[in-house]
Amino acid sequence: MDKTFNAEEAEPRIYAKWEDEGCFAAGANKSRDDAFCIVIPPPNVTGSLHIGHALNNTLQDILVRWKRMQGFDTLWQPGTDHAGIATQMVVERELAETQQPSRAAMGREKFVERVWEQKEKSEGTILGQLKRLGCSCDWSRNEFTMSPNLSAAVLKVFVDLYNQGLIYKDKRLVNWDPKFETAISDLEVENIETDGHMWHFKYPLAGGATYEYVEKDEGGDVTLLETRDYISIATTRPETMLGDGAVAVHPSDERYAPIVGQLCEIPVGPKEHRRLIPIITDDYPDPDFGSGAVKITGAHDFNDNGVAQRGNIPCYRLMDTKGAMRADGGPYVDEAAKAQAIIDGAEMTANEIDAINIVPDDLRGLDRYEARKRVIDQITAEGLAVMVPADHPEVAWMKGTAPEWNALGRAKITPLEDGTDGPAVLPMVESKKIMQPFGDRSKVVIEPMLTDQWFVDAKTLAQPALEAVRNGTTKFAPQNWEKTYFNWLEDIQPWCISRQLWWGHQVPVWYGPDLITDDDASTNADRIEWDFKQPVPFCATSFKEAAADARRYYSGYFGNAQPKIFLAEDQTSAEAEHRGVRGIALYRDPDVLDTWFSSALWPFSTLGWPDKTPELDRYYKTDVLVTGFDIIFFWVARMMMQGIHFMDGEVPFHTVYINSIVVDGKGQKMSKSKGNVLDPLELIDQYGADATRYALASQEVQGRRTLRMSNQSVEGGRNFGTKLWNAARFAEMNEAYSAHGESVPEATATVNKWILGETARATAEVTRALDEYRFNEAATACYDHVWKVFCDWYVEFAKPLLGGEDEALKTETRACMAWALDQCLILLHPIMPFVTEELWGTLAQRQNPLMHATWPEFGAIADADADAEMGWVIKLIEGIRSVRAEMNVPAGAKIDLVLTGAGDTVSARLDRNRALIERLARLETSAVADAAPEGSVTIVLGDCSANLPLAGVIDVTAEKARLSKALAKAEKEAGGIEKKLGNQGFLEKAPEEVIEEQRDRLSAAQSEAARLNAALERLAAM
RNA sequence: GGGCGGUUAGCUCAGCUGGUAGAGCGCUUCGUUUACACCGAAGAUGUCGGGGGUUCGAAUCCCUCACCGCCCACCA
């Protein structure tokens, strides 16, 4: 055997062997009837896996390997996610970077083909990475969210929910991403605090009306009284003023009571076509904020939309899909002018009619931010900005510090009455931190937009999902995440599932025309009128079915003739198809579904649903979901909703284990832009998969949010592997190997009895830790047992025995060591599968690979006497070593040991373990005597003293100091315990065993102190 | 504004249901004795964030404050 494990060579070889032998297949190594199933959180096919994936998959693999060894019918279901928007973004970026035709230039079909190429490439990378990591997924079942089977499941779910009324189309305000030109869900919006401004503008009252504006302080005294011909509003988004439908004030706000119900003018655009909007009351405005009056822009603000809904205020969409002001000007808003124009016909030119559309000519096509500047400029130039003194504390706008577009001096500055120079009054612009919504992928500011979208009635689906966690059917580990889950589900909003993208599952809805017939139409198809203003939806899992539905629907219009149903590419071609054809053209909804819609089905779609497959029957519900907290809402909650709904109320998993987020050595979130990402493949290349896995597992603490990952921790993992490797090397050199059965060997020597017990203890500990998903504890238990117990002590103890004369003892020790080592390999295998498998195969010829070995369950094989005896031996050796080091006894020098105060037990212990003790403590002789030899150094060990005659080397002063220190410690301890035992309250209230323990400790401390005192006295006599 | 984590040895962190403060790394001193220098032996280092409380007893339970971090939230 080499001195170290060659991970680079061995790991791929071992993995290939496992794979070739079908070790990962569902049910492999099954020895019991119950199943254990984990579905992988499918990685996005956007690129490669990061260290967070490495953690997530290591934890899953640990559980899966462990359960498989326990004999469960185990399946780890692998797969990847098409990740709609993210993948489309990756491909679009790549097209741009390589100067290839853009998405639009390619067209939908070509582009989607191109994304499939990306999928193939990325999937290959990802699966390769998972294999390098050692993941024991059943690759024969590898899935993809857009595979034919899973797509069928998606369509069925959509159609079923549609038919149940749980999916519907609605015109609602949604989060619109102007970069990707699609709607996104609430969850895909990140609210980030940014520097913003709030402008204060005057909306003049219609017809020059005036009112007395009165402000009062808390005591009711008037602090301001003036006649106003306007209402002052504050806004952070002046460009949306054009879409205002009203100005709202709080019903209790006395300042504006006189003008509620009146009209005011939006001060933007050509004066002759400015819109008048009503001043209304609503509970939404906060009288203490701003001016207390809020402009209501129902189509571009969620709060305003609420007000608009309540007050029946019109909503005007101002922008196009890119967030630019509508080039078409939008709808007519001046109904009177429009009517006049129609009546007048030729009296008004097309341009003139155009001029009264909602977006004025000079703003059309402008980006929303450019439009904002123009609007501000226009209002300010007109003198309708609220002006304040330049030294007003709330005015942050100052020369040289304002945003560039505001610093151009566009504001009309009214000179001060005292005649001083300079801008004494300024437009009121408050600098303000505002929460701005950004697209989580696009990183651009999200625009609330009024559009037609598909929604899932999440509220209905959420109720059973809530109940399942409330009643413990599904549990979170750690449990505190349940609160997060509840908070979100309890206040869940309709889920917008349609995306205006190309990569994804296309909405299974086909639209037909809205037919209007007159009396004769049923016999004369030529007289049917149609349009697509209100298209008729046909929701079905295929065009064929949709066409059948359509045929039924439209047949009434065609008399006895069955209308022919055509599939058109889009609405435009559908309209074209109709001309001159005796039939109906349908076109499919071009939108695709939110990627999480298909991910939500993952636990059952991957098992074959909607077919009733044996796998579905066998493995659903699955057992544990291992995932990060960042997708509890996106994914976990939605799997719960869909799983319960479609699987007869059965939850998708009984446990959700929330793993940590991996951060760098400084605690910073890893990101490509920071350049602090740890590539799992690089770590594996450098240190091996086992080392990487160990580092991750040993630092995964349940309930902790972050896991700091560094090369140093992986080094530790590698060192541990090497340690194990060398222990095995020692065993091999000493022929302490053989393919034993699984039965525990017979032991007669205390040291062998002891290691059997230690092994059983470690096994129980690792099993318990894994049962509780305490990965760090499992890893640490393995580490301590392998390194500190097996290597540091047992191997050392075994050396004199294996090199001794007693053949029977030799044989027994070999057997025990071989067995104990095998158990180490078994225990460690889930965490470090490669090195353990390699050793398993190297040490002996075996029928099964280690990964199919049986996870042991030992009864009471620990021997209390052996434990006590070896504990004593270890303490003795440590004590001697410690003294030797302190007394500077040369390492090579062999000294003598004389035990005093030893009873039969201690004498017997010494006799039984003399070889080990003498060797490890480097003793010449060891014996029991009545009195300590002259000039001895004394170590107190409970009831007896270990005396080392070091007359030649002893430094009396140093030894006195050492003993005094030990004495002080013992006396301090004794004192503390005495105090405790003298406390009446303690004696009365503490449990008996605790009191007993304290008494034992006291007597031990007292006896130790006595022996130390005796040793000091002897020393004083020298 | 609400919620959730964290604050323990120089560094990174364990410490589960209250009962003798631990590990890894780093540091110091030894050391090549039939596995291992990716090693072995021996060491040093802690008012367990501050303040209160409950208790016979608190790193651990409760309250409160401070700081760091995350998540959710509609103040124009």
Side-chain angles (χ1 to χ4, degrees), chain A residues 520-834:
Chain A
D520 296 334
S522 59
T523 53
N524 185 354
D526 292 343
R527 298 192 55 185
I528 296 173
E529 287 187 23
W530 53 265
D531 62 38
F532 278 95
K533 276 183 188 145
Q534 288 184 312
V536 182
F538 300 97
C539 178
T541 53
S542 67
F543 172 69
K544 207 174 153 192
E545 286 174 36
D549 290 347
R551 195 168 295 120
R552 272 191 294 278
Y553 178 86
Y554 291 111
S555 61
Y557 294 94
F558 290 86
N560 294 328
Q562 286 289 309
K564 189 167 182 192
I565 308 291
F566 298 92
L567 177 62
E569 265 209 7
D570 52 24
Q571 185 176 334
T572 318
S573 48
E575 289 179 11
E577 292 269 3
H578 277 277
R579 302 192 190 286
V581 178
R582 189 186 164 81
I584 294 288
L586 303 184
Y587 66 93
R588 187 169 183 177
D589 192 313
D591 290 355
V592 300
L593 294 168
D594 181 4
T595 210
W596 297 102
F597 188 85
S598 51
S599 318
L601 320 179
W602 191 249
F604 52 94
S605 63
T606 51
L607 296 176
W609 189 89
D611 294 338
K612 291 194 192 314
T613 60
E615 287 81 8
L616 191 65
D617 189 44
R618 186 105 192 90
Y619 299 112
Y620 193 96
K621 69 187 172 190
T622 72
D623 289 85
V624 194
L625 178 79
V626 181
T627 192
F629 63 77
D630 48 340
I631 54 176
I632 290 178
F633 303 149
F634 276 114
W635 194 43
V636 180
R638 285 161 178 172
M639 281 192 284
M640 290 290 287
M641 294 195 262
Q642 300 285 40
I644 294 170
H645 190 76
F646 284 96
M647 298 299 294
D648 297 326
E650 197 165 12
V651 296
F653 24 72
H654 59 68
T655 300
V656 180
Y657 178 82
I658 299 294
N659 65 233
S660 313
I661 297 292
V662 182
V663 297
D664 74 3
K666 292 174 193 154
Q668 304 236 325
K669 210 169 174 176
M670 292 190 189
S671 73
K672 277 181 193 159
S673 54
K674 279 188 204 149
N676 61 348
V677 287
L678 273 178
D679 181 349
L681 268 191
E682 278 177 27
L683 289 176
I684 292 171
D685 285 343
Q686 195 175 351
Y687 302 103
D690 286 331
T692 308
R693 292 167 62 115
Y694 181 82
L696 289 167
S698 64
Q699 293 178 96
E700 170 65 16
V701 181
Q702 188 180 128
R704 205 177 169 89
R705 298 293 180 88
T706 54
L707 186 163
R708 284 197 199 200
M709 190 64 177
S710 62
N711 283 33
Q712 199 180 55
S713 58
V714 187
E715 243 172 67
R718 181 208 47 192
N719 295 353
F720 181 39
T722 306
K723 187 73 183 177
L724 175 71
W725 180 265
N726 280 292
R729 226 175 125 227
F730 175 84
E732 191 208 30
M733 286 168 163
N734 287 280
E735 294 167 54
Y737 55 84
S738 65
H740 297 279
E742 280 156 10
S743 56
V744 181
E746 289 294 319
T748 56
T750 314
V751 64
N752 288 331
K753 284 182 186 163
W754 168 79
I755 194 61
L756 302 186
E758 284 294 314
T759 302
R761 182 175 307 140
T763 304
E765 174 64 7
V766 174
T767 306
R768 180 205 58 83
L770 289 178
D771 254 330
E772 295 172 15
Y773 308 102
R774 298 192 179 271
F775 295 96
N776 64 320
E777 291 178 10
T780 309
C782 288
Y783 186 95
D784 287 348
H785 177 67
V786 170
W787 200 310
K788 296 182 176 176
V789 176
F790 187 83
C791 292
D792 285 354
W793 290 110
Y794 185 64
V795 167
E796 295 305 323
F797 287 149
K799 281 174 184 174
L801 307 186
L802 293 169
E805 306 288 302
D806 185 337
E807 285 305 322
L809 183 55
K810 249 185 188 172
T811 307
E812 173 188 304
T813 303
R814 280 195 188 117
C816 287
M817 175 170 283
W819 178 85
L821 180 59
D822 279 356
Q823 301 310 315
C824 288
L825 299 181
I826 290 171
L827 281 188
L828 205 42
H829 180 261
I831 300 175
M832 304 181 87
F834 291 110

Side-chain angles (χ1 to χ4, degrees), chain A residues 477-489:
Chain A
Q479 206 181 357
N480 54 296
W481 287 109
E482 289 178 6
K483 201 163 179 174
T484 309
Y485 175 88
F486 292 146
N487 287 346
W488 188 67
L489 282 178

Side-chain angles (χ1 to χ4, degrees), chain A residues 121-135:
Chain A
K121 195 174 96 184
S122 175
E123 184 183 45
T125 307
I126 289 167
L127 300 194
Q129 284 179 300
L130 290 173
K131 289 178 182 184
R132 283 296 305 279
L133 192 61
C135 296

Side-chain angles (χ1 to χ4, degrees), chain A residues 31 53 166 247 316 344 405 447 549 660 780 806 833 959 987:
Chain A
S31 66
H53 290 112
L166 294 171
V247 169
Y316 305 107
D344 295 350
W405 47 268
E447 187 64 44
D549 290 347
S660 313
T780 309
D806 185 337
E959 176 61 2
L987 293 177

